């Protein structure tokens, strides 16, 4: 506590006697930190695809049906609106609507009453890394029946309040596009219209031309809903180890081998991030070396303070600690000011032209840069301070230091 008190008094005297020199020292550090942020961001951005906004995949696609037992495989070509089975037979949309799925096509988990408890267990297993689910299914066993989408998400950072309220609703409401409503229910949709789905009456609450199919809240899925596929979203992209652990849980709960796991970040991307930090570290070292020369110049203006402390019996170790703590305080304060300026005034304008800056400059990046900056600065400045206090006051006067 006494050491801090002496350090603050030392800084106060420095500001009173050399305010411009102190301001230059602080401003130069702030500018240097901002330059480091920019270097890190630009290096990382230069090694990314310009249109990639999201880093890594975080979706598990899980097929719940026994599609290997299907005697024919139906695929849909959206451009020409026709279906082809495994033997090459072509069906129109009207013809395929009368075909039924073979017996055993739907697994036990496809039925809603069996699916929900397993999904609750899976969400509990994912814990804080669970972001949301999207469920694709139908209300009968026809191969060509329209797919209905439903989901339950806790990540609502990028959706409107209207859609958030819709997703979490317990009411029988429906979100649909005009084209789907006309093709399925034979009428143009109007908000407030009642439509029948799986023996239940639903009210159209949102008309959205950007969706395909029909969207209903997770809590209002009809009992005869048959689930084909689910997409499970995690908060963060999974590591290969995490993906393997989640895959084992999927096999255990849903009794299926038919799922796709997220692709881990490619080696090039990892190397690019390492390159960004490597170049940032090199820039930091050069910057700190230059600042150390400035700080050495600052110390020469404080010979009298050093001499007084020396004459009063302060050991060189104590003087070293006083100057080092002073330096560490300025490092923390200047880094904080630089971070505030960069994050509030510089980051968003840059992100307009370089959107990947929003990916690069995360809390983790700031902490890594601060760690490198702080450690390198303390090591180099410690050498500068040691060199300064290694001489006596008389020696400094003789040498002209």
């Amino acid at each position: 506590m006494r050491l801090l008190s002496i350090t603050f008094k030392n800084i106060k005297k420095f500001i009173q006697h050399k305010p411009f020199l102190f301001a230059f020292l602080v401003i130069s550090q702030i500018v240097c930190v901002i330059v480091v942020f920019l270097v890190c961001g630009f290096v990382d951005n230069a090694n990314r695809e310009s249109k990639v906004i999201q880093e890594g995949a975080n979706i598990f696609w899980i097929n719940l049906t026994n599609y290997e037992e299907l005697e024919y495989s139906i695929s849909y070509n959206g451009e020409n609106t026709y279906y082809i089975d495994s033997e090459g037979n072509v069906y129109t949309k009207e013809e395929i609507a009368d075909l039924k799925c073979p017996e055993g096509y739907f697994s036990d988990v496809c039925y809603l009453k069996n699916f929900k408890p397993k999904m609750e267990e899976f969400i509990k297993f994912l814990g804080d890394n669970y972001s949301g689910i999207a469920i694709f299914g139908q209300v009968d066993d026809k191969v060509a029946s329209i797919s209905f989408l439903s989901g339950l998400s806790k990540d609502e950072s990028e959706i409107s309040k209207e859609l958030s309220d819709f997703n979490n609703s317990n009411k029988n409401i429906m979100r649909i596009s005009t084209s789907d409503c006309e093709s399925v229910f034979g009428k143009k949709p109007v908000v407030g219209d009642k439509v029948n789905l799986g023996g239940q009456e639903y009210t159209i609450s949102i008309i959205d031309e950007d969706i395909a199919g029909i969207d209903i809240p997770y809590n209002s899925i009809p009992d005869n809903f048959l689930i084909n596929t689910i997409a499970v979203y995690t908060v963060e992209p999974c590591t290969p180890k995490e993906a393997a652990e989640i895959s084992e849980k999927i096999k255990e709960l849903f009794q299926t081998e038919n799922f796709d796991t997220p692709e881990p970040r490619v080696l090039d991307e990892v190397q690019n991030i390492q390159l960004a930090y490597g170049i940032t570290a090199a820039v930091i070292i050069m910057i700190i070396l230059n600042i150390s020369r400035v700080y050495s110049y600052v110390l020469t203006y404080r010979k009298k303070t050093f001499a007084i402390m020396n004459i009063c019996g302060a050991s060189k170790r104590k003087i070293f600690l006083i100057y080092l703590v002073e330096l560490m305080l300025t490092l923390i304060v200047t880094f904080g000011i630089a971070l505030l300026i960069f994050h509030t005034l510089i980051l968003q304008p840059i992100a307009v032209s370089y959107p990947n800056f929003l990916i690069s400059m995360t809390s983790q990046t700031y902490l890594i840069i601060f760690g490198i900056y702080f450690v390198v600065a303390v090591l180099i400045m410690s050498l500068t301070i040691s060199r300064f206090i290694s001489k006596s006051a008389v020696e400094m006067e003789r040498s002209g230091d």
Side-chain angles (χ1 to χ4, degrees), residues 228-283:
N228 295 324
T229 309
I230 62 172
V232 181
Y233 299 81
T234 57
V235 176
E236 299 290 339
C238 296
T239 64
K241 182 182 178 183
E242 289 169 337
E245 291 172 351
I246 294 172
S247 296
E248 287 302 314
K249 195 65 177 178
I250 290 172
K251 293 176 187 177
E252 175 194 331
L253 288 174
F254 302 112
Q255 300 299 307
T256 181
E257 299 279 343
N258 305 321
F259 58 88
D260 296 320
T261 59
E263 290 291 330
R265 291 186 303 183
V266 294
L267 180 61
D268 284 348
E269 186 178 347
V270 176
Q271 289 173 334
N272 290 340
I273 294 171
Q274 291 172 345
L275 176 64
Y277 290 140
I279 293 178
T280 301
V283 172

Side-chain angles (χ1 to χ4, degrees), residues 124-138:
K124 186 177 180 181
F125 171 79
L126 292 175
D128 291 337
N129 203 24
Y130 164 75
S131 177
I133 57 172
I135 301 170
F136 300 85
Q138 55 202 56

Side-chain angles (χ1 to χ4, degrees), residues 87-263:
E87 297 176 358
N89 298 313
V90 180
Y91 300 87
T92 65
K93 187 172 183 179
E94 291 71 24
E95 290 171 336
I96 202 71
D98 295 326
L99 292 177
K100 298 283 185 177
C101 288
E103 189 175 345
Y105 174 73
F106 293 106
S107 69
D108 290 340
V109 186
C110 292
Y111 295 92
L112 188 66
K113 64 179 180 179
N114 299 328
F115 170 81
K116 278 196 170 181
K118 291 183 180 294
M119 193 63 229
E120 287 172 7
E121 185 176 344
F122 191 44
I123 291 173
K124 186 177 180 181
F125 171 79
L126 292 175
D128 291 337
N129 203 24
Y130 164 75
S131 177
I133 57 172
I135 301 170
F136 300 85
Q138 55 202 56
V139 291
D140 58 31
D141 63 351
K142 288 182 180 179
V143 174
S145 67
I146 188 168
S147 291
F148 296 93
L149 171 65
S150 184
L152 181 67
S153 172
K154 76 171 186 179
D155 180 12
E156 300 175 355
S157 56
E158 296 184 2
I159 64 175
S160 65
K161 185 178 185 305
E162 180 186 36
L163 192 52
S164 172
D165 292 341
F166 176 89
N167 290 338
N168 293 289
S169 176
N170 293 307
K171 299 177 181 178
N172 285 3
I173 53 179
M174 183 178 290
R175 178 169 164 249
I176 196 168
S177 67
T178 301
S179 58
D180 283 312
C181 193
E182 289 179 340
S183 63
V184 177
F185 301 112
K187 56 189 250 183
K188 187 174 181 178
V190 176
V191 172
D193 277 359
K194 308 289 184 182
V195 295
N196 187 281
L197 176 64
Q200 293 182 198
E201 190 175 67
Y202 284 77
T203 303
I204 297 176
S205 64
I206 300 176
I207 299 173
D208 188 346
E209 299 303 334
D210 292 330
I211 68 168
I214 299 171
D215 193 358
I216 56 178
Y218 179 80
N219 297 322
S220 68
I221 301 176
D223 292 336
N224 58 343
F225 192 84
L226 290 169
I227 300 166
N228 295 324
T229 309
I230 62 172
V232 181
Y233 299 81
T234 57
V235 176
E236 299 290 339
C238 296
T239 64
K241 182 182 178 183
E242 289 169 337
E245 291 172 351
I246 294 172
S247 296
E248 287 302 314
K249 195 65 177 178
I250 290 172
K251 293 176 187 177
E252 175 194 331
L253 288 174
F254 302 112
Q255 300 299 307
T256 181
E257 299 279 343
N258 305 321
F259 58 88
D260 296 320
T261 59
E263 290 291 330

